[in-house]
Amino acid sequence: MRPRASALPRLRLRRRPAAARRSLVTLAIETSCDDTAVAVLEHTPTRTRLLFNERISSDLRAYRGIRPAMALEGHQRTLAGLVRAAIAHLPDQGRQRGPDLVSATRGPGIHANLATGLFTAKGLAVAWGVPLVGVHHMQAHALTPRLVRALGMPMAGEEEEAAASAPAATASAASPRTQTPEFPFLTLLVSGGHSQLVLSSSLTSHRVLATTADAALGNVLDQTARVVLPEAVLAASPDVMYGRQLEAYAFPDPPSVSDPASSSPYAFYNPPRTRAEEIADADTGYPWRVPLPMRTTRRLAYSFSAIHSTVHTIAADRAGRMDDAERRALARHTQRAAFQHLASRLCLALEDDGPARAATTLVVAGGVACNKFLMHVLRTTLEARGFLSSGGGGDGSGIREVVAPPVALCTDNAAMIAWAGMEMYAAGWHSDLDVVPVPKWPLDPSVRLPEKHGGGPGGLMEIGGWLRWK
């Protein structure tokens, strides 16, 4: 019989609590889906360095999408080699004694894939005699801009202006914005598995204001891309992130960062100034339309299934008759409807939710956050509706900054897991060695786990397995 958790022996740690240390080094592992990633992060009061950050994606192109069993095989083949390479990049003392802590994604994600990384991290923590931090994947995405600022890296859209600066992984002096965005802030978490608007009041307090009632945005973009893109474009894709190819195909000549409005391919999009303009059908120049989802309700939720079915119906009806111009129009209006839906619910939250109005920063995170047209839709819509300005709203509220991490840190990566683990550890938290993967892990404590996963309370801290430094 398995001993009760309280009867399990505690790991005897040879490290002092975070509060007593001036520097921290963590080795982090991310295996929640199809990317195997390992990173080594060093943080001191004066600088933050990403000493190692590599990722290997499973080649799933033959399946035109995620195949959990094949992704798991990819983790099993490549994780050990990445860990060995990462260990070689630990600081000199760390190579002898190990890092100060080991971080790994605990959930949400695919159970077997999560287990591969989490259990590897447990073994490393035991071997080195250091703490383990089981990280919530979505919390890590939300905190990524804080990592970006600590590293001195440019946010998405700032790369052109910083093209002559040092490489992203090099050392950088901490700036006054090292810990920005400051709490509270709003986060749009948009990826292949999640579409959520989250209000983060503190490191451990997160409330989901809106979430998808059906498919996630990234998954819908990937699936619609399969019927919109020419076969040659699909065949040339280096991976199964077809949503990225959909953006590149729709906007082959993206606008410059310095002047996004000049001769922009985004000119077809007119940000709505009112709710009436928002719900009106957009003229596509063709006999078909891609309507905004949930036009008849103000309910704070997302739904992308209507976009999925509409685009698939259009593609089937126009099979063999769509030239490149029509395909590009369909690609553009697919994204317009999806992104306007995100912006619509964001505006409703800012109108109706009192606590949300206290946030002055909107973080856009997850794999879809690297889409430049998404950022354009969000910024211009917030401006048109009076929610984005240098000074915020007239009452002192309002969004002053919309930020997204650079492309390399938008998609799943271990650097964000390292930072989230380090922030949790510095705040006094680490994980018990009996923690197990949580494939369905609501970030909001008001949402319960599915019955097949125990039916208990969700939430970052409510899930159990956390230990506090004494």
Side-chain angles (χ1 to χ4, degrees):
M1 180 181 292
R2 182 182 182 275
R4 292 179 295 108
S6 59
L8 291 172
R10 299 292 188 206
L11 177 66
R12 297 191 60 165
L13 304 175
R14 58 175 177 76
R15 293 287 192 269
R16 291 176 293 163
R21 300 184 56 80
R22 290 187 56 80
S23 66
L24 285 173
V25 175
T26 184
L27 184 147
I29 297 173
E30 152 62 20
T31 58
S32 62
C33 190
D34 61 327
D35 294 316
T36 311
V38 180
V40 175
L41 183 71
E42 179 185 46
H43 180 65
T44 73
T46 58
R47 69 177 182 180
T48 301
R49 295 193 299 165
L50 195 52
L51 304 178
F52 180 85
N53 185 35
E54 288 194 9
R55 180 186 58 156
I56 299 176
S57 298
S58 298
D59 188 353
L60 305 175
R61 287 174 292 176
Y63 309 102
R64 293 269 171 109
I66 302 299
R67 192 71 166 258
M70 299 307 297
L72 174 61
E73 185 178 311
H75 296 317
Q76 293 169 340
R77 281 199 314 266
T78 59
L79 180 56
L82 283 179
V83 169
R84 181 170 60 183
I87 291 173
H89 286 78
L90 289 170
D92 292 341
Q93 186 178 10
R95 282 197 288 273
Q96 299 297 320
R97 305 177 58 209
D100 298 294
L101 66 148
V102 178
S103 307
T105 308
R106 186 183 174 193
I110 302 171
H111 188 281
N113 299 22
L114 289 166
T116 301
L118 183 62
F119 294 162
T120 298
K122 283 188 183 185
L124 293 170
V126 170
W128 281 321
V130 300
L132 168 75
V133 179
V135 172
H136 193 294
H137 184 87
M138 305 314 291
Q139 180 206 29
H141 272 305
L143 296 177
T144 300
R146 291 164 66 88
L147 166 65
V148 174
R149 293 301 191 205
L151 289 169
M153 296 171 62
M155 293 289 182
E158 299 172 353
E159 291 95 335
E160 291 181 11
E161 300 170 7
S165 64
T170 61
S172 127
S175 73
R177 298 190 296 174
T178 292
Q179 295 299 319
T180 58
E182 297 179 351
F183 298 104
F185 60 83
L186 288 168
T187 303
L188 262 177
L189 295 169
V190 280
S191 67
H194 301 273
S195 299
Q196 296 180 337
L197 176 62
V198 179
L199 174 62
S200 297
S201 300
S202 70
L203 178 64
T204 58
S205 178
H206 308 272
R207 182 162 69 94
V208 176
L209 305 181
T211 189
T212 180
D214 39 60
L217 172 58
N219 189 40
V220 168
L221 292 178
D222 287 341
Q223 292 189 15
T224 53
R226 296 177 203 169
V227 299
V228 174
L229 296 177
E231 185 59 35
V233 175
L234 288 171
S237 178
D239 50 42
V240 295
M241 296 179 184
Y242 298 122
R244 190 178 298 170
Q245 306 304 319
L246 190 71
E247 180 193 9
Y249 181 75
F251 307 108
D253 298 308
S256 68
V257 172
S258 58
D259 190 5
S262 64
S263 63
S264 169
Y266 301 162
F268 80 100
Y269 175 73
N270 296 310
R273 294 166 297 175
T274 65
R275 176 74 173 153
E277 290 183 8
E278 183 176 73
I279 64 178
D281 278 342
D283 183 13
T284 65
Y286 294 91
W288 45 261
R289 301 290 184 269
V290 185
L292 184 76
M294 300 179 67
R295 292 190 291 181
T296 61
T297 176
R298 291 176 62 91
R299 183 164 62 93
L300 280 181
Y302 295 117
S303 176
F304 298 98
S305 59
I307 294 176
H308 180 279
S309 58
T310 297
V311 174
H312 276 72
T313 298
I314 293 170
D317 289 345
R318 303 288 294 164
R321 292 181 290 161
M322 282 198 295
D323 58 14
D324 265 357
E326 185 173 1
R327 286 182 184 274
R328 282 200 167 89
L330 184 54
R332 290 182 179 185
H333 283 280
T334 298
Q335 293 172 81
R336 174 202 54 77
F339 299 160
Q340 184 59 58
H341 183 41
L342 289 176
S344 167
R345 268 35 207 177
L346 172 60
C347 289
L348 289 177
L350 291 171
E351 288 175 1
D352 301 342
D353 191 283
R357 292 182 62 82
T360 58
T361 299
L362 172 66
V363 171
V364 190
V368 187
C370 63
N371 189 302
K372 294 179 180 179
F373 181 50
L374 167 60
M375 300 299 291
H376 176 77
V377 169
L378 291 173
R379 287 194 176 104
T380 56
T381 300
L382 287 172
E383 286 176 353
R385 299 289 287 274
F387 291 113
L388 178 64
S389 68
S390 59
D395 59 354
S397 64
I399 301 298
R400 298 189 181 118
E401 186 179 32
V402 180
V403 298
V407 173
L409 296 179
C410 280
T411 53
D412 292 351
N413 63 89
M416 71 179 191
I417 303 302
W419 179 261
M422 194 172 281
E423 283 219 57
M424 290 296 290
Y425 181 71
W429 298 100
H430 65 290
S431 299
D432 202 341
L433 287 177
D434 69 353
V435 295
V436 294
V438 187
K440 300 291 184 181
W441 187 358
L443 192 57
D444 191 323
S446 68
V447 181
R448 298 184 68 82
L449 293 170
E451 288 300 325
K452 67 178 182 179
H453 295 295
L460 177 65
M461 306 306 295
E462 290 75 9
I463 202 71
W466 291 106
L467 300 175
R468 187 79 174 173
W469 285 113
K470 295 181 179 179

